[in-house]
Amino acid sequence: MASVDAQPASPPQSGLIARLRSLLSGGSSEVSLTRRLAGTIFVIRVLSAGLAYLSQILLARWMGGSDYGIYVYVWTWVLLLGSMMDFGISASAQKIIPEYRTSGDDARLRGFLSGSRWMTFMVSSVLSLLLAGLVKLLAPWIAAGEIVPLYIGCLTLPAFVVANTQDGIARSHDWMRLGLMPQFIVRQGLIIALTAGIFAAGINLGATAAMAASAGAVWLAMSGQMIVLDRRLAHHVAAGPRVYDFRGWLAVSLPILLVESFYLLLSYTDVLVLQQFRSSAEVGVYFAVVKTLALVSFIHYAMSATTAHRFAEYNARGDKERLEAYVAHAINWTFWPSLAATIALLALGRPLLWLFGPQFVDGYDIMFVAAIGLVVRSAIGPVERLLNMLGHQHICAAAYAGAFAMNVVLCLLLVPRLGGHGAAAATSISLSFETVLLFCIVRSRLGLHVLAFGKR
């Protein structure tokens, strides 16, 4: 990691742009590539956040507080369940694909690239039908306005799951734009376009119509991504026999699924518990706060998505020195940008929340409470991906399970009395607890210091 690629001579540059360019391209080829790819992912997520922010603002204004709260509630279920119903394949692809490439096992590689998507599509379709049956069974206890949107949410899930799987495959080949743009740019753009069309046509844009537009956007974006991915893979992977090692894939993926599931449950518990104890309008305010702070988590996501398959690759090669240096690089490039982004968002919080509507400014105080957990979590970088890629999925899942259990208990204790403030406090405390656990696990299992500061 100490080597520096030779660069052709060029005239000296000055100014902010030159310094930023030097910062992003300096270092070894791996470090330089990681920064560029992470930068690409971050830009995509920021653009996505802008589109998502715009769509949430428009929906909040077009739909009104109650319908918007129902839409947020159902969409949260889609995000939560859709992210878990791929059995962890989208994350494990970043371990499985590099290992197949390193070992030269092309038959299993070809089998995984096609079989993983078919498997997740078929299973998620069956599970979606079962969930629709559960909604029908529980209909007498569900608010009337939520039933049809929940059915539409079930229809959305198979496409959402396949898109996640394709994202993992694309990122494992460093095709970051192909992996992320269909989900985060194209899908958000389609949601805005379709809901705007409904509103312009004079049709009542309630929760049902908004969910129908969102479902159409998910299916269209996934289909386009599939076409482009298949074309790229055809040129990148030579044709030949395929071996479908479903049992082997699941053996790697299911422990990672536990990690991803507990993290997602931890992320969405606050919104789901808040929905049970507070009004839909208050849920909408809290969701606006979460969306406003999303930029901080995007930085963590960018580094996780960029580094995970390289953790697996360096480990498969037995290159411990390069792995350690790469981990330190990933941690520093997660924490310091996250801290800067948090300070900026807190400074601009009031006008950003006002964009949703005047009543959403009431959530400004909540931002400070919610930001604590995000900053603390960023201090150790993407170490959960490090543990997953190096075969420590089970203990990582146990740490996430403990943090999730703490979050549920704290939400049930604090939300009824404190509302959104209680939900944010519960989540921040739980994220801080999770961070301490992961730090101790990496220290004891791998012998690495994984804080952005302090002695290594």
Side-chain angles (χ1 to χ4, degrees):
M1 294 294 285
S3 63
V4 180
D5 297 341
Q7 300 292 334
S10 59
Q13 295 176 306
S14 61
L16 178 60
I17 299 299
R19 288 196 296 271
L20 287 174
R21 185 176 298 168
S22 175
L23 182 63
L24 290 173
S25 61
S28 70
S29 58
E30 292 91 348
V31 169
S32 178
L33 178 61
T34 298
R35 290 175 184 171
R36 292 198 301 272
L37 293 178
T40 298
I41 294 173
F42 182 71
V43 169
I44 291 173
R45 290 307 305 264
V46 170
L47 292 175
S48 166
L51 288 173
Y53 213 69
L54 176 62
S55 69
Q56 298 304 321
I57 290 169
L58 294 175
L59 288 174
R61 289 183 175 272
W62 291 342
M63 297 170 66
S66 181
D67 269 316
Y68 177 69
I70 293 172
Y71 171 79
V72 165
Y73 174 66
V74 176
W75 187 245
T76 299
W77 274 115
V78 171
L79 295 175
L80 174 60
L81 295 175
S83 299
M84 293 192 297
M85 286 169 63
D86 65 353
F87 298 107
I89 289 290
S90 61
S92 67
Q94 296 172 82
K95 176 178 173 63
I96 293 171
I97 291 175
E99 289 181 349
Y100 284 162
R101 283 200 302 242
T102 301
S103 64
D105 196 343
D106 292 338
R108 280 185 168 80
L109 175 61
R110 285 187 287 265
F112 180 82
L113 294 174
S114 62
S116 60
R117 286 182 281 170
W118 280 111
M119 180 179 71
T120 54
F121 175 74
M122 293 173 64
V123 176
S124 62
S125 297
V126 173
L127 291 175
S128 297
L129 288 173
L130 294 175
L131 287 170
L134 182 62
V135 171
K136 183 174 180 60
L137 183 66
L138 298 177
W141 296 276
I142 299 175
E146 297 176 2
I147 294 175
V148 176
L150 284 169
Y151 282 134
I152 298 173
C154 294
L155 178 65
T156 310
L157 286 171
F160 193 97
V161 170
V162 174
N164 280 346
T165 304
Q166 294 180 157
D167 176 16
I169 292 172
R171 281 189 278 127
S172 299
H173 291 84
D174 286 335
W175 300 334
M176 302 303 175
R177 285 178 292 181
L178 176 57
L180 300 175
M181 287 190 68
Q183 294 193 82
F184 296 112
I185 303 296
V186 176
R187 184 172 73 193
Q188 289 293 346
L190 287 171
I191 290 175
I192 293 174
L194 293 173
T195 52
I198 293 172
F199 183 76
I203 301 172
N204 177 42
L205 186 61
T208 298
M211 274 305 304
S214 299
V218 172
W219 277 95
L220 287 171
M222 181 276 292
S223 300
Q225 182 188 41
M226 179 178 290
I227 292 170
V228 177
L229 180 61
D230 284 340
R231 288 178 178 174
R232 283 206 183 180
L233 289 173
H235 290 92
H236 190 76
V237 180
R242 299 176 179 179
V243 174
Y244 299 97
D245 186 13
F246 294 108
R247 181 175 296 181
W249 303 341
L250 291 176
V252 174
S253 301
L254 290 178
I256 294 178
L257 173 64
L258 288 177
V259 177
E260 298 287 326
S261 298
F262 283 125
Y263 170 68
L264 288 167
L265 289 168
L266 175 62
S267 301
Y268 293 121
T269 296
D270 48 0
V271 174
L272 298 177
V273 173
L274 194 63
Q275 175 72 20
Q276 305 307 314
F277 292 99
R278 296 292 177 131
S279 67
S280 296
E282 188 170 347
V283 175
V285 171
Y286 184 81
F287 194 74
V289 171
V290 173
K291 284 295 182 183
T292 302
L293 286 171
L295 181 65
V296 180
S297 59
F298 291 166
I299 297 170
H300 188 282
Y301 177 88
M303 289 308 299
S304 297
T306 307
T307 57
H309 61 291
R310 284 190 168 76
F311 291 155
E313 179 183 343
Y314 297 153
N315 185 60
R317 292 178 180 176
D319 195 340
K320 185 176 180 180
E321 182 179 354
R322 178 173 289 182
L323 175 64
E324 290 181 0
Y326 197 72
V327 169
H329 165 76
I331 293 168
N332 282 319
W333 276 82
T334 301
F335 175 68
W336 298 110
S338 295
L339 181 61
T342 301
I343 294 171
L345 288 172
L346 292 178
L348 299 172
R350 284 189 182 277
L352 290 173
L353 289 174
W354 180 86
L355 293 174
F356 286 84
Q359 69 274 25
F360 288 87
V361 179
D362 294 340
Y364 181 58
D365 292 345
I366 301 174
M367 288 185 66
F368 288 85
V369 182
I372 295 172
L374 294 175
V375 173
V376 171
R377 180 171 175 264
S378 70
I380 60 172
V383 296
E384 73 285 350
R385 297 297 178 98
L386 174 68
L387 289 169
N388 288 341
M389 295 302 105
L390 270 60
H392 299 282
Q393 305 98 311
H394 293 88
I395 192 167
C396 186
Y400 273 61
F404 164 64
M406 173 181 284
N407 198 21
V408 171
V409 173
L410 290 175
C411 279
L412 291 175
L413 290 174
L414 299 177
V415 167
R417 289 182 292 176
L418 302 176
H421 290 83
T427 302
S428 283
I429 294 170
S430 300
L431 286 174
S432 301
F433 175 67
E434 167 208 301
T435 301
V436 173
L437 287 179
L438 291 177
F439 173 83
C440 294
I441 291 169
V442 175
R443 188 81 170 183
S444 62
R445 292 292 182 98
L446 304 177
L448 298 177
H449 178 89
V450 288
L451 275 180
F453 42 84
K455 294 182 178 180
R456 296 193 174 275

PDB file of all heavy atoms in Angstrom, residues 5 26 174 247 334 406:
ATOM      1  N   ASP A   5       1.710   4.939  -7.814  1.00  0.00           N
ATOM      2  CA  ASP A   5       1.759   4.762  -9.259  1.00  0.00           C
ATOM      3  C   ASP A   5       2.452   5.943  -9.913  1.00  0.00           C
ATOM      4  O   ASP A   5       2.275   7.087  -9.542  1.00  0.00           O
ATOM      5  CB  ASP A   5       0.337   4.645  -9.840  1.00  0.00           C
ATOM      6  CG  ASP A   5      -0.374   3.417  -9.315  1.00  0.00           C
ATOM      7  OD1 ASP A   5       0.334   2.523  -8.826  1.00  0.00           O
ATOM      8  OD2 ASP A   5      -1.603   3.354  -9.393  1.00  0.00           O
ATOM      9  N   GLY A  26      -4.607  10.380  -5.020  1.00  0.00           N
ATOM     10  CA  GLY A  26      -3.316  10.043  -4.442  1.00  0.00           C
ATOM     11  C   GLY A  26      -3.274   8.652  -3.867  1.00  0.00           C
ATOM     12  O   GLY A  26      -4.284   8.044  -3.588  1.00  0.00           O
ATOM     13  N   ASP A 174     -17.163  -3.811  -9.775  1.00  0.00           N
ATOM     14  CA  ASP A 174     -16.834  -2.379  -9.770  1.00  0.00           C
ATOM     15  C   ASP A 174     -17.702  -1.581 -10.726  1.00  0.00           C
ATOM     16  O   ASP A 174     -17.334  -0.464 -11.137  1.00  0.00           O
ATOM     17  CB  ASP A 174     -15.354  -2.133 -10.096  1.00  0.00           C
ATOM     18  CG  ASP A 174     -14.447  -2.502  -8.923  1.00  0.00           C
ATOM     19  OD1 ASP A 174     -14.929  -2.487  -7.779  1.00  0.00           O
ATOM     20  OD2 ASP A 174     -13.258  -2.810  -9.160  1.00  0.00           O
ATOM     21  N   ARG A 247     -26.683 -24.616  -2.129  1.00  0.00           N
ATOM     22  CA  ARG A 247     -26.387 -24.883  -0.721  1.00  0.00           C
ATOM     23  C   ARG A 247     -25.168 -24.083  -0.265  1.00  0.00           C
ATOM     24  O   ARG A 247     -25.170 -23.502   0.827  1.00  0.00           O
ATOM     25  CB  ARG A 247     -26.148 -26.382  -0.519  1.00  0.00           C
ATOM     26  CG  ARG A 247     -25.850 -26.749   0.933  1.00  0.00           C
ATOM     27  CD  ARG A 247     -25.746 -28.258   1.099  1.00  0.00           C
ATOM     28  NE  ARG A 247     -27.007 -28.918   0.803  1.00  0.00           N
ATOM     29  CZ  ARG A 247     -27.191 -30.234   0.887  1.00  0.00           C
ATOM     30  NH1 ARG A 247     -26.187 -31.028   1.247  1.00  0.00           N
ATOM     31  NH2 ARG A 247     -28.367 -30.758   0.593  1.00  0.00           N
ATOM     32  N   THR A 334     -14.500   7.187   6.185  1.00  0.00           N
ATOM     33  CA  THR A 334     -15.890   7.128   6.624  1.00  0.00           C
ATOM     34  C   THR A 334     -16.166   8.173   7.699  1.00  0.00           C
ATOM     35  O   THR A 334     -17.139   8.924   7.623  1.00  0.00           O
ATOM     36  CB  THR A 334     -16.232   5.730   7.183  1.00  0.00           C
ATOM     37  OG1 THR A 334     -16.002   4.742   6.174  1.00  0.00           O
ATOM     38  CG2 THR A 334     -17.704   5.670   7.609  1.00  0.00           C
ATOM     39  N   MET A 406     -32.010  -3.972  22.189  1.00  0.00           N
ATOM     40  CA  MET A 406     -31.955  -2.757  22.994  1.00  0.00           C
ATOM     41  C   MET A 406     -32.832  -1.661  22.390  1.00  0.00           C
ATOM     42  O   MET A 406     -33.549  -0.948  23.111  1.00  0.00           O
ATOM     43  CB  MET A 406     -30.509  -2.278  23.110  1.00  0.00           C
ATOM     44  CG  MET A 406     -30.368  -0.920  23.800  1.00  0.00           C
ATOM     45  SD  MET A 406     -28.650  -0.367  23.912  1.00  0.00           S
ATOM     46  CE  MET A 406     -28.096  -1.422  25.269  1.00  0.00           C
TER      47      MET A 406
END
